Amino acid sequence: MKITLKGDVREFEAPKTALEIAASLSQALKKEALAVKVDGEVQGLTTVIDRDCALEFLTFADEEGRRVYRHTASHVMAQAVKALWPEAKLAIGPAIENGFYYDFDCDTAFSTEDFKKIEKEMERIVKANYPIVRSEKPRAEAIAYMQEKGEPYKVELIEDLPEDAVISFYTQGDFTDLCAGPHLPSTGYVKAVKIMSVAGAYWRGSEKNKMLQRLYATAFPKKADLDAYVQQLEEAKKRDHRRLGRELDLFDVRDEGPGFPFFYPKGMILRNILEDYWREIHRKAGYEEIKTPIMLNRGLWERSGHWDHYKENMYTTKIDDTDFAIKPMNCPGGILVYERRAWSYRDLPIRSGELGLVHRHEKSGTLHGLMRVRCFTQDDAHIFMRPDQIRDEIKGVYQLIDEVYKVFGFQYTVELSTRPENSIGTDEMWALATDGLQGALDDLGVTYTVNEGDGAFYGPKIDFHLRDCLGRTWQCGTIQLDFQMPLNFGLEYVAEDGSRKRPIMIHRVCFGSIERFIGILTEHFAGKFPTWLAPTQVKVLPVSDKSLDYARQVYERMKDKGLRVELDDRNEKIGYKIRYARQIDRVPYMLILGEKEIAEQTVSVRDRATDETTSYTLDEFLAKLEQEIKDRV
């Protein structure tokens, strides 16, 4: 049989397992392979290959390989729990990003002490290196089998499958679980495992069902990688924006308003700096700022489609017997701004931007600091253009977003999402839009991945995934093409030949949400914001009362220059003041002023980044600060 491997065709005698083929290619591949794609379908390494096909071996470096690895680890954990608590009932145990979980119905409430017992039993199962064997049963037989084993949740899952379905099971030692697979060849493949936490989870996510216990865990092929991941999580805890927001007196979410953040004076400084920067770059890029109402009537939301498709996430009320909704997004208001007058082809493109406050009803269990809230400010912009302007406008938007992310030191990846199955619009329009997005990225020489079929129903899109200093990714910026909204609202412009044409619309954001972006920045910088962003840029620290007058003079001079400066005139030792300014307030610069500085008319500057102290004249230091702020470093 002929096997295609990354374009290279090899011949093998049939039949062979995928693992045997890997071993014949190299011992390194045999050792690293976790699963295989057979003509694009992910399967286990024990799959027998008996025909011509294309093979792609998956390792832990591949997302699909990691999912197979961790899904097998979830079965190992389930086997361990059943060994320790035989009365526990099994629910589901999928692989998720960075790990896996398994849901159990067990009378014993799992504690952190139980984690160690479960991990020890998992180690025994791994060491036993049980082969993992797939088997199949007809639906009725599968139901009877799970009933006999006393697994009601598995029975319910099988009963939801079609009558003619063939149900697959995976067995390792004395443990068998219902599963579609695929899995690793044996339990011995699973090396380093750690249970992270336990949480409550309703069966099938419904509050009407029983609350189960969900054990979250993760697994890696090497203990060093697991240790590094755990260390990263510890660092992430230190950087948690919710804790830092309170410690730095920036922002918080109170019990009186779940999902509705409060911004304190220093947090407003940070927020206003970001908004001022947003306005500056948008003015330069030819955008005009608009403001649309926070509440609009039902008729608008029916025209936009939100009333029928998004109403459960909208806050609604009645005014003078008319239904109104607080806006969950800014787009319909932006369209009404375009509608205000007639436009010629010469006027296009029309670029308008809005820092618009939107409200969306999120379930309480999904709320998370500034990352998931019920009201937030989107830095929306909408561009109305002719078809021939698509590529150039997309390039302009891309370059603007790229500029923003570079200022904050973010690296990012780009994803192009294409036409989904439930799309609307003609083939011609989709081809035009996709070609415009792809052509713009190609013109700019951008490296991107194509996410087939994941575009919006109204058009393709480009998504930007930021990577922070801990390697975590955040989806922030997006560029979406839309034909449907201009159609729903009957938007037009007068073409060169005098006919009326429909514009194409771009939806795009840079920050995504001001609140969420501030949360990301807080964690990325661990609260140590660069000088241009820092709510307090300088702290003036007099050594004693003898230098207090000089400190006040320096403080007033810096304040007059428009710098964000604080004077710490508390009756505390200078060492305490320095530690507090650097470690608690995380101020970029501390000016230590004593008798020596008074005599020399200088300032001793302690740099937060290096913890070194340098002497400057005040004019020299002011010039240094002004340059840093201008360069946004």
Side-chain angles (χ1 to χ4, degrees):
M1 59 184 174
K2 293 182 178 179
I3 304 298
T4 303
L5 299 152
K6 294 184 178 180
D8 182 25
V9 178
R10 301 282 190 94
E11 290 195 13
F12 296 88
E13 289 185 11
K16 281 187 180 295
T17 65
L19 187 57
E20 288 172 334
I21 293 174
S24 70
L25 295 171
S26 79
Q27 286 301 305
L29 180 60
K30 178 188 176 183
K31 185 178 179 181
E32 293 180 9
L34 301 176
V36 66
K37 274 188 176 181
V38 183
D39 289 334
E41 181 184 353
V42 180
Q43 298 187 26
L45 290 174
T46 56
T47 300
V48 176
I49 310 298
D50 57 4
R51 58 181 173 81
D52 294 352
C53 61
L55 293 187
E56 179 186 349
F57 287 97
L58 302 172
T59 70
F60 199 78
D62 304 299
E63 181 180 350
E64 291 159 310
R66 290 193 295 274
R67 294 187 77 82
V68 171
Y69 187 92
R70 286 167 171 161
H71 187 45
T72 298
S74 80
H75 278 227
V76 173
M77 184 167 72
Q79 183 178 4
V81 169
K82 287 290 284 186
L84 295 167
W85 294 277
E87 76 282 1
K89 309 301 181 189
L90 303 174
I92 58 172
I96 56 175
E97 185 179 8
N98 296 324
F100 58 92
Y101 68 78
Y102 211 110
D103 290 345
F104 301 95
D105 183 355
C106 185
D107 292 337
T108 299
F110 298 135
S111 67
T112 52
E113 290 301 313
D114 293 323
F115 293 179
K116 297 175 183 177
K117 291 193 291 187
I118 297 169
E119 288 172 355
K120 186 174 181 180
E121 179 63 17
M122 291 177 73
E123 288 175 9
R124 184 196 67 76
I125 295 167
V126 167
K127 190 174 181 180
N129 196 23
Y130 296 122
I132 300 176
V133 181
R134 178 186 170 96
S135 61
E136 296 180 345
K137 298 180 187 294
R139 181 175 177 274
E141 188 179 331
I143 291 173
Y145 178 66
M146 283 288 109
Q147 286 174 334
E148 182 183 347
K149 291 179 74 67
E151 297 290 356
Y153 300 102
K154 302 295 184 181
V155 170
E156 185 177 330
L157 291 172
I158 298 170
E159 287 176 339
D160 286 347
L161 297 174
E163 291 281 352
D164 59 351
V166 175
I167 314 301
S168 60
F169 296 85
Y170 283 83
T171 299
Q172 53 202 49
D174 60 358
F175 176 79
T176 299
D177 201 357
L178 169 74
C179 189
H183 283 279
L184 301 172
S186 69
T187 59
Y189 275 68
V190 179
K191 301 300 182 185
V193 179
K194 184 174 179 62
I195 300 174
M196 309 301 294
S197 62
V198 62
Y202 290 109
W203 168 237
R204 294 193 151 183
S206 172
E207 296 174 4
K208 297 177 182 178
N209 294 331
K210 187 173 183 178
M211 175 75 79
L212 308 178
Q213 295 185 77
R214 176 170 293 177
L215 285 177
Y216 285 99
T218 192
F220 288 83
K222 297 178 182 177
K223 187 177 184 302
D225 293 335
L226 174 61
D227 292 343
Y229 174 72
V230 171
Q231 180 61 38
Q232 184 188 69
L233 291 182
E234 289 301 315
E235 181 62 26
K237 286 181 184 177
K238 296 176 187 175
R239 293 169 179 262
D240 190 317
H241 73 283
R242 295 168 296 180
R243 181 175 65 83
L244 291 175
R246 288 188 289 270
E247 288 181 3
L248 298 173
D249 202 29
L250 301 174
F251 49 77
D252 202 358
V253 179
R254 305 289 299 268
D255 292 340
E256 293 83 352
F260 300 97
F262 285 74
F263 276 83
Y264 304 141
K266 287 185 177 180
M268 283 305 299
I269 291 172
L270 176 59
R271 184 186 182 110
N272 287 333
I273 294 168
L274 288 173
E275 293 187 1
D276 289 345
Y277 169 64
W278 184 91
R279 289 186 170 97
E280 175 190 324
I281 60 175
H282 281 76
R283 278 195 301 269
K284 291 178 181 177
Y287 289 78
E288 294 180 309
E289 186 173 2
I290 62 171
K291 193 74 174 175
T292 62
I294 196 170
M295 186 185 295
L296 295 161
N297 70 25
R298 174 175 177 168
L300 175 76
W301 302 111
E302 287 179 334
R303 289 170 72 189
S304 69
H306 290 92
W307 195 266
D308 292 330
H309 301 290
Y310 203 72
K311 188 171 182 290
E312 68 277 7
N313 294 101
M314 297 165 67
Y315 296 110
T316 61
T317 189
K318 277 186 180 291
I319 301 176
D320 298 332
D321 296 324
T322 300
D323 289 322
F324 277 74
I326 299 175
K327 63 180 178 180
M329 50 196 67
N330 300 302
C331 322
I335 287 173
L336 295 185
V337 172
Y338 179 89
E339 269 191 340
R340 76 188 189 276
R341 51 160 285 191
W343 301 98
S344 161
Y345 71 95
R346 293 189 184 91
D347 299 317
L348 272 57
I350 305 294
R351 306 185 191 101
S352 61
E354 176 176 12
L355 293 167
L357 180 65
V358 301
H359 289 70
R360 298 178 186 177
H361 179 63
E362 303 284 357
K363 291 183 178 180
S364 58
T366 65
L367 300 176
H368 180 76
L370 298 184
M371 304 303 193
R372 192 73 176 264
V373 291
R374 287 172 169 159
C375 74
F376 54 95
T377 303
Q378 281 192 310
D379 63 316
D380 266 324
H382 299 103
I383 302 173
F384 300 90
M385 60 193 172
R386 306 187 307 263
D388 62 290
Q389 295 172 321
I390 292 177
R391 185 175 293 201
D392 285 342
E393 287 305 305
I394 295 296
K395 286 158 68 173
V397 172
Y398 181 93
Q399 289 166 334
L400 180 67
I401 294 175
D402 175 70
E403 176 187 343
V404 170
Y405 294 164
K406 283 180 177 175
V407 162
F408 297 100
F410 284 121
Q411 294 181 330
Y412 62 87
T413 56
V414 177
E415 188 175 80
L416 171 65
S417 297
T418 59
R419 186 177 189 174
E421 290 184 5
N422 65 337
S423 64
I424 56 176
T426 65
D427 292 343
E428 180 185 2
M429 291 304 292
W430 273 91
L432 179 68
T434 305
D435 179 68
L437 293 180
Q438 201 156 13
L441 293 174
D442 291 339
D443 287 350
L444 292 167
V446 174
T447 300
Y448 60 93
T449 57
V450 177
N451 191 359
E452 295 287 355
D454 200 44
F457 71 91
Y458 49 77
K461 61 177 182 171
I462 296 170
D463 287 328
F464 294 77
H465 299 271
L466 300 188
R467 184 175 296 276
D468 68 14
C469 64
L470 294 181
R472 300 171 300 182
T473 57
W474 308 89
Q475 201 276 301
C476 290
T478 188
I479 308 172
Q480 301 179 354
L481 279 180
D482 184 0
F483 321 111
Q484 190 62 25
M485 283 280 197
L487 178 64
N488 288 353
F489 284 84
L491 302 186
E492 294 180 336
Y493 67 90
V494 178
E496 192 170 5
D497 61 4
S499 64
R500 294 189 176 276
K501 302 285 187 184
R502 197 160 322 281
I504 294 170
M505 185 178 181
I506 289 177
H507 306 255
R508 50 113 293 211
V509 293
C510 298
F511 297 144
S513 150
I514 295 287
E515 289 77 5
R516 185 166 179 261
F517 199 75
I518 288 173
I520 293 169
L521 286 177
T522 302
E523 296 194 359
H524 179 65
F525 292 119
K528 299 175 182 178
F529 298 104
T531 305
W532 74 281
L533 273 180
T536 302
Q537 295 166 319
V538 180
K539 271 215 171 187
V540 178
L541 310 177
V543 172
S544 67
D545 288 346
K546 294 179 181 179
S547 53
L548 188 54
D549 287 342
Y550 181 59
R552 285 177 177 147
Q553 292 173 26
V554 170
Y555 166 76
E556 291 296 338
R557 174 87 184 278
M558 300 187 78
K559 195 174 177 183
D560 289 344
K561 285 285 188 179
L563 295 165
R564 299 187 292 277
V565 57
E566 292 181 3
L567 172 64
D568 187 348
D569 56 2
R570 293 177 295 172
N571 185 24
E572 298 283 356
K573 293 182 178 179
I574 189 63
Y576 173 83
K577 291 182 181 181
I578 293 170
R579 285 193 303 274
Y580 194 94
R582 185 170 185 269
Q583 297 173 10
I584 305 301
D585 287 344
R586 294 169 167 83
V587 177
Y589 293 105
M590 294 138 275
L591 303 193
I592 304 163
L593 307 180
E595 294 182 17
K596 177 175 179 291
E597 285 74 27
I598 296 172
E600 298 176 355
Q601 289 294 287
T602 59
V603 290
S604 292
V605 180
R606 177 73 66 92
D607 188 328
R608 178 190 65 194
T610 63
D611 204 25
E612 294 178 353
T613 302
T614 307
S615 181
Y616 295 91
T617 66
L618 184 55
D619 286 339
E620 289 173 340
F621 181 61
L622 289 173
K624 169 183 167 63
L625 269 183
E626 288 170 4
Q627 192 62 48
E628 274 190 33
I629 294 166
K630 180 181 177 182
D631 294 340
R632 294 194 169 99
V633 295

